[in-house]
């Protein structure tokens, strides 16, 4: 394969630590005990897919959750529970990205939504004084571009907008189900599996 010149990173589970169980528990503590049937890391219902592709806004999303829950929930309760899965940005990963940017063109591609976007950007800015757009050449978020992984269109968008050669491009994600669209457009892939972190990726050694 040709040498890698461009790297596309997933966000949650690769750069930022996340734990879907924390959101599931937070909703359970509010009386929403069957939340996992609607969303896990590897399963997403049409409601959450629509939210992650910007088809519904925050207010509509919150309203649907209120309707699904077994008891009354305030908007603030829902937002706090929804964001509970978002953990921390280890500084050594941010430092690695800064080094990688000296050698590669680096991009971000995340399935996310407006509420999570606001929360993780706030967390990163409090830690580093930066936003994700300051670290990457360009950052792509599903709710903004109206596609989500593994749809091939979202990968093609990154290639086309940045004039990238697919075979010289590597996509890194912790969810293997996201690779089908990337591979369909010719992008190389790397599955980051626990307990490995991005610091353990062979390509990044000796930087």
């Amino acid at each position: 394969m040709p040498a890698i010149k461009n790297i596309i990173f997933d966000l949650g589970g690769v750069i930022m630590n996340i734990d879907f169980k924390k959101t599931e528990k937070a909703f359970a503590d509010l009386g929403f005990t069957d939340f996992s049937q609607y969303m896990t890391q590897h399963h997403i219902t049409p409601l959450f897919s629509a939210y992650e592709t910007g088809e519904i806004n925050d207010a509509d999303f919150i309203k649907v959750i209120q309707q699904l829950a077994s008891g009354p929930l305030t908007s603030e309760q829902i937002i706090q529970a929804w964001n509970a899965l978002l953990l921390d940005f280890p500084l050594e990963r941010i430092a690695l990205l800064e080094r990688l940017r000296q050698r590669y063109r680096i991009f971000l591609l995340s399935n996310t939504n407006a509420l999570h976007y606001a929360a993780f950007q706030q967390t990163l800015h409090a830690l580093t004084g930066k936003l994700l757009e300051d670290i990457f050449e360009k950052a792509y978020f599903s709710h903004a571009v109206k596609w989500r992984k593994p749809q091939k269109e979202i990968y093609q968008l990154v290639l086309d907008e940045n004039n990238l050669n697919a075979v010289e491009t590597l996509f890194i994600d912790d969810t293997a189900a996201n690779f089908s669209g990337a591979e369909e457009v010719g992008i190389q892939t790397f599955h980051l599996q626990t307990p490995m972190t991005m610091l353990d990726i062979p390509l990044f050694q000796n930087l």
Side-chain angles (χ1 to χ4, degrees), residues 30-69:
L30 295 173
F32 196 161
T33 56
D34 58 349
F35 182 80
S36 62
Q37 75 172 292
Y38 298 101
M39 182 179 183
T40 68
Q41 182 172 4
H42 305 289
H43 168 73
I44 189 166
T45 63
L47 165 65
F48 293 102
S49 180
Y51 187 40
E52 286 196 339
T53 53
E55 294 176 36
I56 59 174
N57 60 26
D58 295 348
D60 289 338
F61 173 73
I62 290 169
K63 183 177 180 180
V64 173
I65 295 297
Q66 289 172 327
Q67 292 170 343
L68 291 172

Side-chain angles (χ1 to χ4, degrees), residues 78-205:
I78 291 171
I79 292 170
Q80 288 183 357
W82 179 238
N83 288 340
L85 66 90
L86 304 173
L87 304 181
D88 62 312
F89 286 92
L91 280 173
E92 62 271 20
R93 298 180 194 174
I94 304 302
L96 175 58
L97 290 171
E98 299 284 4
R99 295 195 300 275
L100 287 170
R101 190 162 184 175
Q102 304 306 310
R103 184 174 297 188
Y104 303 95
R105 298 180 68 188
I106 64 171
F107 302 86
L108 183 69
L109 179 56
S110 176
N111 283 349
T112 192
N113 54 82
L115 288 173
H116 281 172
Y117 175 87
F120 60 63
Q121 291 280 35
Q122 183 178 28
T123 297
L124 179 64
H125 191 267
L127 181 68
T128 67
K130 296 181 178 181
L131 301 175
L132 288 163
E133 289 87 347
D134 300 320
I135 296 171
F136 293 90
E137 181 173 334
K138 191 161 185 180
Y140 291 85
F141 303 100
S142 61
H143 70 288
V145 300
K146 313 302 183 186
W147 287 302
R148 67 185 304 277
K149 299 175 292 185
Q151 293 174 299
K152 68 177 182 180
E153 289 86 355
I154 199 168
Y155 301 99
Q156 193 65 54
L157 177 69
V158 179
L159 295 177
D160 292 346
E161 286 196 351
N162 301 284
N163 297 312
L164 306 182
N165 185 337
V167 298
E168 297 174 345
T169 302
L170 177 67
F171 172 55
I172 299 168
D173 200 307
D174 65 322
T175 303
N178 287 336
F179 292 143
S180 59
E183 292 168 349
E184 190 172 350
V185 299
I187 294 173
Q188 299 186 54
T189 59
F190 184 90
H191 187 197
L192 188 67
Q193 302 182 68
T194 304
M196 176 182 280
T197 74
M198 59 184 282
L199 279 74
D200 302 315
I201 296 175
L203 180 67
F204 300 163
Q205 302 309 301

